[in-house]
Amino acid sequence: MKLLKFTLISILGLSLCTACGGDGDGGETPGPGKPEGPDKSSTTGIDRFDASNIFSRNTYLPDNTAMQGFNLDSDGSVWYTQLSNTNQAQLNWVRAQPNKTPDVQTENKDYMKLTYFGHGTNTALEEDGADRYLWAGAYGVCNAKGQYWNEKLVGRVKYVKGATVKTNECNDYYYIGDYTDLHPSIDAENDLLTINYGDSKNSSYRCFVIYKLSEAKKAPMTNVTITCTDGFQTDRPASTNPVSVVVRCHDLTTLTPVARPRFLKTGYGASGATYYDWQGYDVHKNRLYYAEGQSNYNLFGSFYSGSSFAYVTVFDFEGNIVEERTQVAVVSDKDKLTQIGVSVFGTLEAEGIKVCKDKLYLGYTARGITADNTKHYQNIFVFDPSSK
């Protein structure tokens, strides 16, 4: 997932955040004669954990890699996005059922391949009758490591089991302006399409634009010239050759957004906070849920050193903190993770966040289901959404 530039603070000094000073926080520290500010403590319950918080665990996907994220279907199934372990230009889009037992679930053969799109850090599922569409960043750029980032458009692609779809073969494309690193979220119940983007003029901020979904899908068409790399044309996944292409898109710059929230990438927690990799977001009603975290293996290069960490912060549509940056307790609890059969090493990498049917779902890739098995298994825990 995409790395944040985080301040190096001793891991031993970590504690739950009790005060936030992020962009737009809007208040001073209360002192003598000053009224207390609004209560920003978390109402989600992520600071606690019991068996009722297990939604699905130990799901093995077609390639032995971490999921990049997940989406939930009204029919009860889970849709995972996962980078291939043999081709970094390929995203697997996998349909599976929640795994309600501690046993490993491996028979997940219902998937298609998306090639040359991007990293798939955050995606959205759209249901249209019996059809399903994935919204994802498209026309990514291959870097020197063969990784695809810097998505220039959002693509909408219909699910067809067993099919392979290239980044230039989507059903629809959406353009929001001259930005990169586009990652969508959909709240169909409230008719919202949100797109996270990178703004070179505001690189210290995490930026979002929110539209009415119904308006976005009817936005006028335009031809957009973008620059990407030519792998999708040459079938060379590692090619870094630049190419300019013209793409027919829905022009969302013609719409009036519902909101444009933004907040500092490393300035929304308590003073002295250590920040971790951004691991996805979701928008539901009038709240933006933001996830970060890293596994002990990624932090220290070892299954045996330190703990994993994950946090969730809830913002409003102006980028103000509604519920402060709060640690997901179970991710750092090695004893609990061993007890529930997820990881004997406490190795959990945060991978995705969703709000669905008034529940908050947090995704994690675990390694070390036993001391001898360090394959990647996908887990989803469920909590309450914000009540503020």
Side-chain angles (χ1 to χ4, degrees):
M1 306 286 275
K2 202 150 195 183
L3 295 177
L4 294 174
K5 295 179 181 178
F6 57 89
T7 306
L8 296 176
I9 303 294
S10 173
I11 298 298
L12 296 177
L14 285 173
S15 61
L16 296 182
C17 296
T18 56
C20 293
D23 176 54
D25 197 19
E28 301 177 359
T29 302
K34 294 183 179 180
E36 290 292 331
D39 179 11
K40 296 181 181 179
S41 58
S42 176
T43 63
T44 60
I46 62 175
D47 56 338
R48 304 179 299 278
F49 190 88
D50 60 39
S52 67
N53 297 120
I54 301 172
F55 175 73
S56 181
R57 56 185 154 174
N58 299 337
T59 295
Y60 184 79
L61 298 180
D63 289 337
N64 181 30
T65 59
M67 66 175 173
Q68 292 302 305
F70 65 96
N71 287 281
L72 300 171
D73 198 310
S74 62
D75 68 7
S77 55
V78 182
W79 295 86
Y80 297 95
T81 46
Q82 171 205 34
L83 283 171
S84 168
N85 61 356
T86 58
N87 179 2
Q88 293 189 82
Q90 177 182 310
L91 279 168
N92 296 327
W93 184 22
V94 188
R95 186 178 200 163
Q97 296 303 310
N99 187 19
K100 298 299 185 181
T101 76
D103 298 329
V104 172
Q105 182 187 73
T106 60
E107 295 301 317
N108 297 311
K109 307 299 184 183
D110 193 351
Y111 68 98
M112 69 182 295
K113 300 173 183 178
L114 311 176
T115 55
Y116 307 102
F117 277 67
H119 198 69
T121 305
N122 211 86
T123 61
L125 177 73
E126 179 193 357
E127 302 184 24
D128 185 1
D131 295 327
R132 298 294 182 267
Y133 292 85
L134 185 74
W135 294 58
Y139 283 97
V141 176
C142 182
N143 65 19
K145 297 180 179 179
Q147 301 167 335
Y148 278 72
W149 302 92
N150 305 124
E151 302 88 344
K152 303 297 180 66
L153 302 171
V154 169
R156 175 179 177 264
V157 59
K158 182 179 178 180
Y159 181 75
V160 178
K161 181 178 179 180
T164 298
V165 174
K166 292 183 179 181
T167 194
N168 61 320
E169 297 173 338
C170 289
N171 298 85
D172 298 286
Y173 296 93
Y174 295 82
Y175 174 72
I176 67 166
D178 188 19
Y179 303 112
T180 65
D181 301 284
L182 307 187
H183 303 287
S185 166
I186 286 176
D187 176 6
E189 178 185 355
N190 295 289
D191 193 29
L192 299 176
L193 166 67
T194 304
I195 300 175
N196 166 245
Y197 63 94
D199 184 350
S200 61
K201 297 178 182 179
N202 294 284
S203 59
S204 296
Y205 288 86
R206 188 71 63 189
C207 302
F208 304 82
V209 58
I210 304 173
Y211 303 99
K212 287 290 186 182
L213 175 62
S214 56
E215 293 180 0
K217 293 176 69 175
K218 295 177 182 178
M221 304 298 291
T222 189
N223 290 329
V224 175
T225 301
I226 61 168
T227 301
C228 54
T229 47
D230 68 355
F232 69 96
Q233 295 177 336
T234 63
D235 285 325
R236 292 186 294 136
S239 174
T240 58
N241 294 329
V243 61
S244 291
V245 295
V246 177
V247 185
R248 189 73 171 163
C249 305
H250 290 278
D251 186 0
L252 303 191
T253 67
T254 64
L255 304 181
T256 300
V258 173
R260 282 189 172 271
R262 69 171 190 168
F263 48 85
L264 288 169
K265 293 179 180 178
T266 58
Y268 54 90
S271 176
T274 299
Y275 296 90
Y276 299 95
D277 292 356
W278 171 56
Q279 303 289 7
Y281 79 99
D282 202 27
V283 166
H284 183 63
K285 296 180 180 178
N286 59 350
R287 296 290 179 256
L288 189 155
Y289 295 77
Y290 184 79
E292 60 178 289
Q294 283 175 270
S295 72
N296 60 345
Y297 186 81
N298 284 349
L299 284 168
F300 309 113
S302 170
F303 293 115
Y304 308 101
S305 301
S307 297
S308 303
F309 295 96
Y311 289 82
V312 172
T313 310
V314 183
F315 297 88
D316 64 18
F317 281 4
E318 295 181 352
N320 300 312
I321 293 171
V322 175
E323 297 201 5
E324 63 195 4
R325 184 174 182 263
T326 301
Q327 189 171 3
V328 184
V330 70
V331 173
S332 301
D333 190 339
K334 291 184 177 181
D335 290 339
K336 179 65 71 174
L337 295 172
T338 300
Q339 177 188 333
I340 65 175
V342 167
S343 176
V344 298
F345 301 129
T347 303
L348 260 68
E349 184 82 0
E351 299 284 6
I353 180 170
K354 294 293 172 184
V355 179
C356 181
K357 297 180 180 178
D358 292 322
K359 288 292 181 182
L360 171 66
Y361 297 83
L362 305 179
Y364 299 94
T365 290
R367 302 183 68 184
I369 191 172
T370 67
D372 299 323
N373 183 350
T374 58
K375 292 181 178 180
H376 297 79
Y377 295 99
Q378 322 309 323
N379 300 268
I380 301 174
F381 302 140
V382 59
F383 301 92
D384 295 324
S386 168
S387 62
K388 296 179 181 175

